[in-house]
Amino acid sequence: MIGMAGTGKSYWANKLAEHGFRLFCCDDLISKKLAPLLKRPDGTIIRMGEWMGFPFHAGYKKRESKYLKFEIEVLNEILDYLEDHDNNLDEDVVVDTTGSVIYTGEGILKRLRQYTTVVHLAITPEVREQLLRAYIFNPHPMLWRDIFSKKPNEANDAALERCYLKLIIARQQLYERNADVEINYYTRREEGFGVSDFLHLAASTSRSKGKCKSPSIPL
């Protein structure tokens, strides 16, 4: 699936893994590549969100670029695996992407659409505020791609809130452009909605678009 961090991608990826899907978690794979940088002088581990920092922190853009570089490497490795096994893949695969997958370049996104059914977990306007508060309270790696800016005398939190809406709107357009199917927030929250319902929606759209291969899904 694709979508903003905090929309449930990892939740559904793990649910599918419980049902036999092989799980590729991009966050975990990126973290392994960043491991040498995620250590304090005393040897304790720094969380990726803490390492990345907020967009107003010194050195943020350099760390943002490094993260994106490793994200591109991870996705190429996953897609190479899917491509190598395209004709005889005997396993179902789910790719738990990051919210910034849409910044990895058209080449990667084209391959992602070719070898997987791309599922977008859409959100409602009221959820945006929840995601912003969660990000401020417990930062995760967030690529702002020059959308963040500060007005004269504007507080950091105020600038984050103002620019976060712009970031979501810009990303939503890219998610929608690259998705095969969109599962809206209220559908996912319906009582009894489970893995079989999720796969049914993904598979029906996959067939309608001529994708009759492995039900590999980026989450």
Side-chain angles (χ1 to χ4, degrees):
M1 287 176 279
I2 60 175
M4 292 292 293
T7 56
K9 298 191 303 293
S10 293
Y11 170 83
W12 285 106
N14 282 288
K15 284 292 184 183
L16 289 169
E18 291 172 4
H19 284 72
F21 278 67
R22 176 173 181 173
L23 170 59
F24 289 96
C25 178
C26 291
D27 261 335
D28 289 348
L29 295 170
I30 294 168
S31 180
K32 289 180 180 179
K33 290 180 178 289
L34 281 171
L37 302 175
L38 301 179
K39 289 185 179 180
R40 298 184 179 89
D42 63 1
T44 56
I45 303 300
I46 305 172
R47 293 182 301 105
M48 276 201 298
E50 181 182 354
W51 169 81
M52 175 78 79
F54 290 113
F56 48 78
H57 285 155
Y60 167 81
K61 287 193 175 182
K62 182 178 179 180
R63 293 188 294 274
E64 179 188 45
S65 295
K66 189 175 292 291
Y67 181 94
L68 181 58
K69 172 181 176 291
F70 286 137
E71 181 171 13
I72 289 170
E73 287 183 9
V74 162
L75 282 166
N76 272 322
E77 290 165 4
I78 294 170
L79 290 166
D80 286 347
Y81 174 87
L82 294 176
E83 185 175 25
D84 289 344
H85 296 78
D86 186 39
N87 293 323
N88 59 356
L89 188 64
D90 58 357
E91 62 182 347
D92 296 330
V93 172
V94 57
V95 183
D96 184 4
T97 69
T98 75
S100 52
V101 63
I102 33 87
Y103 302 135
T104 56
E106 181 54 34
I108 285 178
L109 293 172
K110 182 178 180 179
R111 293 177 73 200
L112 195 64
R113 294 191 299 268
Q114 179 180 356
Y115 293 111
T116 73
T117 299
V118 182
V119 179
H120 173 214
L121 297 190
I123 58 173
T124 60
E126 57 265 31
V127 175
R128 296 172 182 171
E129 181 71 18
Q130 299 174 23
L131 296 182
L132 172 61
R133 296 305 161 204
Y135 171 59
I136 293 174
F137 179 74
N138 186 24
H140 52 78
M142 176 79 80
L143 275 60
W144 285 81
R145 310 309 291 160
D146 295 322
I147 288 180
F148 179 82
S149 63
K150 285 185 65 176
K151 296 179 179 179
N153 302 317
E154 187 176 27
N156 289 331
D157 284 355
L160 276 178
E161 185 168 358
R162 176 177 55 80
C163 295
Y164 191 79
L165 176 59
K166 294 168 60 178
L167 179 70
I168 285 184
I169 292 173
R171 284 191 175 193
Q172 286 293 110
Q173 294 173 349
L174 294 173
Y175 294 142
E176 292 169 4
R177 183 186 307 167
N178 286 282
D180 292 310
V181 58
E182 179 177 289
I183 302 179
N184 71 53
Y185 177 78
Y186 294 113
T187 297
R188 305 195 304 271
R189 303 279 292 184
E190 286 178 1
E191 184 177 356
F193 185 85
V195 169
S196 60
D197 304 294
F198 183 97
L199 290 175
H200 175 74
L201 288 176
S204 60
T205 303
S206 180
R207 286 193 297 270
S208 70
K209 294 196 174 187
K211 290 187 174 184
C212 300
K213 299 180 182 179
S214 165
S216 302
I217 297 175
L219 290 160

